[in-house]
Amino acid sequence: MRRPIAELVALGIVTSDSFVGLRALLLPADSRRSRRGSAFGIADAGRWALARRKPPLAAAEGEAIEHLAHTLLRRYGVVFWRLLEREAAWLPPWRDLLRVYRRLEARGDIRGGRFVAGFAGEQFALPDAIGLLREIRRRPATEALVLASPAPTRSTSPAS
């Protein structure tokens, strides 16, 4: 019984509600003793259940995520995990956006790197935003708030 369950666990199809099952699968039989000295095995693992699996992204959903990734880039110029933490809860997980950003970087559409200091993790930026950030970095330091947006600004003056 140990081998079929081990294969199902390895495929991510089955999960256990305790670590005893994992230990029983990973440790050799002579090493499977608890702190109290009693042996444990698959039968002591608690409940085994089918793991809930998210279905693969449908093509339409993948296109929606790519559109959203572009929108976020246009809005902020530089995108990273901590920035999106304050966005709406309905956004897809960062890992889904990350796949899109890595693909865009591989195509040469955007740049990956460390653009904003103080934030760990991958960051992705539009080429226009990188130039703007470099220009701001070269300016003398002041206490003034700097707004750096690669998004086109709208004119608020009345049309003549």
Side-chain angles (χ1 to χ4, degrees):
M1 180 168 155
R2 182 173 179 223
R3 184 166 172 84
I5 289 181
E7 289 176 14
L8 292 172
V9 169
L11 292 170
I13 296 172
V14 171
T15 185
S16 176
D17 64 353
S18 73
F19 286 109
V20 175
L22 184 61
R23 288 186 193 111
L25 292 171
L26 295 177
L27 296 175
D30 58 341
S31 301
R32 281 189 252 142
R33 295 236 172 252
S34 68
R35 293 181 190 165
R36 297 184 190 116
S38 61
F40 60 87
I42 294 287
D44 305 315
R47 295 175 297 207
W48 291 92
L50 291 174
R52 280 188 247 154
R53 297 176 67 159
K54 184 178 176 184
L57 290 176
E61 188 176 346
E63 289 173 12
I65 290 174
E66 186 159 348
H67 176 74
L68 187 59
H70 282 287
T71 302
L72 291 168
L73 269 171
R74 282 192 307 273
R75 177 183 295 165
Y76 295 113
V78 178
V79 177
F80 48 95
W81 177 74
R82 296 294 269 180
L83 175 74
L84 299 182
E85 199 174 47
R86 293 176 177 245
E87 279 287 334
W90 54 262
L91 278 178
W94 172 248
R95 68 178 174 270
D96 293 343
L97 291 167
L98 190 58
R99 264 186 240 125
V100 173
Y101 290 135
R102 286 177 179 163
R103 189 172 57 247
L104 292 173
E105 181 187 14
R107 284 195 313 216
D109 295 342
I110 64 172
R111 299 264 312 271
R114 302 287 185 261
F115 306 105
V116 182
F119 295 99
E122 293 180 80
Q123 299 178 13
F124 299 92
L126 292 171
D128 296 343
I130 296 169
L132 186 59
L133 289 171
R134 286 181 181 151
E135 179 184 320
I136 292 169
R137 186 180 61 201
R138 290 184 192 116
R139 293 182 190 167
T142 64
E143 294 294 320
L145 180 64
V146 177
L147 175 63
S149 175
T153 55
R154 291 185 187 163
S155 174
T156 55
S157 63
S160 25

